[in-house]
Amino acid sequence: MHAPITPAIADFIHRLPKTETHLHIEGALPYELLQKLDPEKFSQQPECWSKDFKWKCFEDFEAHLIDHALQWFTKPDRYYEAAQVIFAGHLAQNIRYVETSFHAGMIEFLGIPGREILSAIRSAAPKGLEVRVFMGMARNCYSEVLQPVLDECLTWDGLAGIDLHGVEYLPLEDWTPKLWDKARAHGLETKAHAGEFDGANKVREAIEVLGTKRIQHGIRAIEDDAVIELAMEADATFDVCPISNVKLDVIDRLEDHPIRKLFDQGIRCTLSTDDPFSFGNTVEDEYAALSAGLNFTNEELKQIAKNGFEVALVDEATRAKWTAEVDAI
Ligand code: ADE
Ligand code: ZN
């Protein structure tokens, strides 16, 4: 196991202005809110937060996440309350910009309108933090209930974009590339989870068939040089979550994580937590992991932070200000 970081590096990581661009809001449910609901049931720190914990499989992880999310996220107000706590945590880590997604399946499970979830999350954004909200959906979500929602969501006020997530090895269905094209035509950003549980071919599919440049994870692109080349040509960004990858056993040990090679080969990588409820991680932990486990220098960590600001959905003056702040550290 790698050595812990020095207090000087921890201080550097803390002071670095940062982004988080891959965060599932239901997977970021603050544990303290569940404890408030039922102090006895949630008296123990979750087992999945321990350092060496590994999830058995994606389905176990997802079932645990959804089971807990459904205990809290019962109405739009609960999204507002959770988002307030989550965003306060971002400010406390010197994070300036966040992209978070809510799960379209919750609209179906709870019968609450997507617009209200979106509005609840957006209105929780505090001063000093720019928040962009995406709707995430599973590859097989085109149900009777969600079909009309997906057809109209692109016009919702304040929706920044859409993301494809859930079980990765399901086939891409016909509706998906059409919706992804339509989203970009409406000026929205498009993302897709790819190259996490399935191989480099899924990263290729996300770029070539879905037309997205924002790959969530993307790390298994490392298995195919031609896909790395494609991602470089497309100027793609990989929103990487190393601790998630280790705890979901996509990668055996942090020291083997491909972000080192992806970064060295020139792929634009950013750093995020994915689902802190299920991994017990913070963005600062992710930076520390790169420093201690993968020998990222402070200059390289600055580049990772700048990568997040480079793809942020903000005006050029804001981007330039944030970038200059990173440079000044
Ligand atoms: N939904 C929440 N976390 C996810 C992950 N790591 N991969 C795919 N879908 C997810
Ligand atoms: Zn994710």
Side-chain angles (χ1 to χ4, degrees):
M1 203 59 212
H2 52 80
I5 56 166
T6 65
I9 295 176
D11 180 60
F12 167 81
I13 288 171
H14 175 67
R15 287 185 295 113
L16 188 62
K18 294 173 287 295
T19 66
E20 172 152 54
T21 50
H22 180 169
L23 180 69
H24 303 265
I25 196 113
E26 294 88 3
L29 170 61
Y31 196 65
E32 66 203 70
L33 295 179
L34 284 181
Q35 289 178 313
K36 214 166 74 177
L37 282 186
D38 191 337
E40 211 171 308
K41 186 169 163 195
F42 299 107
S43 62
Q44 303 283 323
Q45 177 176 290
E47 202 192 334
C48 53
W49 287 17
S50 56
K51 206 164 180 306
D52 297 324
F53 181 87
K54 292 231 185 216
W55 289 97
K56 274 197 208 72
C57 57
F58 180 78
E59 288 76 5
D60 261 21
F61 147 81
E62 196 185 35
H64 178 271
L65 197 163
I66 291 172
D67 172 51
H68 286 84
L70 290 176
Q71 295 179 55
W72 175 263
F73 294 104
T74 51
K75 53 186 180 180
D77 283 0
R78 288 289 182 87
Y79 274 92
Y80 176 77
E81 215 179 314
Q84 273 194 316
V85 178
I86 294 164
F87 297 151
H90 286 118
L91 285 182
Q93 295 178 80
N94 236 330
I95 291 168
R96 308 287 164 84
Y97 176 82
V98 171
E99 291 177 1
T100 187
S101 66
F102 68 93
H103 183 44
M106 298 296 273
I107 297 170
E108 193 166 2
F109 292 146
L110 302 174
I112 45 180
R115 275 180 203 271
E116 290 184 25
I117 299 179
L118 169 64
S119 159
I121 300 168
R122 291 186 75 223
S123 56
K127 196 168 168 291
L129 186 71
E130 286 293 329
V131 173
R132 301 292 178 267
V133 181
F134 288 66
M135 184 162 78
M137 58 201 79
R139 286 170 186 262
N140 60 351
C141 78
Y142 212 58
S143 65
E144 218 171 291
V145 177
L146 283 184
Q147 211 168 314
V149 175
L150 300 185
D151 289 342
E152 66 137 46
C153 69
L154 304 179
T155 63
W156 292 349
D157 194 28
L159 187 72
I162 52 176
D163 187 2
L164 189 64
H165 61 207
V167 178
E168 188 182 341
Y169 38 80
L170 291 171
L172 201 59
E173 297 176 2
D174 285 348
W175 60 271
T176 322
K178 289 184 198 146
L179 185 63
W180 259 240
D181 281 348
K182 208 167 127 197
R184 283 188 298 274
H186 272 80
L188 271 67
E189 183 61 276
T190 57
K191 298 182 172 182
H193 281 62
E196 180 193 20
F197 283 93
D198 209 339
N201 59 318
K202 281 288 172 48
V203 177
R204 177 182 289 284
E205 178 187 75
I207 295 172
E208 290 187 338
V209 184
L210 286 178
T212 177
K213 297 178 178 198
R214 292 291 302 279
I215 311 296
Q216 307 304 282
H217 300 295
I219 56 170
R220 288 187 57 189
I222 204 70
E223 294 166 11
D224 186 340
D225 288 345
V227 174
I228 293 290
E229 216 168 289
L230 175 72
M232 294 286 290
E233 274 167 22
D235 195 29
T237 301
F238 290 5
D239 293 306
V240 183
C241 310
I243 295 173
S244 160
N245 299 145
V246 173
K247 286 200 165 182
L248 280 168
D249 215 11
V250 173
I251 304 296
D252 185 19
R253 305 175 317 140
L254 183 75
E255 290 77 356
D256 305 326
H257 197 286
I259 192 171
R260 178 75 265 178
K261 285 191 188 137
L262 293 168
F263 181 88
D264 291 347
Q265 289 179 32
I267 295 279
R268 186 189 300 104
C269 296
T270 70
L271 210 49
S272 298
T273 60
D274 207 6
D275 303 279
F277 177 81
S278 311
F279 309 123
N281 52 345
T282 65
V283 172
E284 291 190 13
D285 291 338
E286 301 286 347
Y287 276 84
L290 258 50
S291 174
L294 290 157
N295 301 314
F296 274 66
T297 65
N298 287 359
E299 282 306 309
E300 288 173 332
L301 296 182
K302 282 167 76 166
Q303 186 59 50
I304 295 265
K306 284 205 273 190
N307 290 347
F309 292 124
E310 196 178 337
V311 296
L313 305 171
V314 292
D315 59 60
E316 293 310 316
T318 307
R319 192 187 324 285
K321 183 184 80 158
W322 283 334
T323 306
E325 284 176 32
V326 174
D327 282 332
I329 291 279

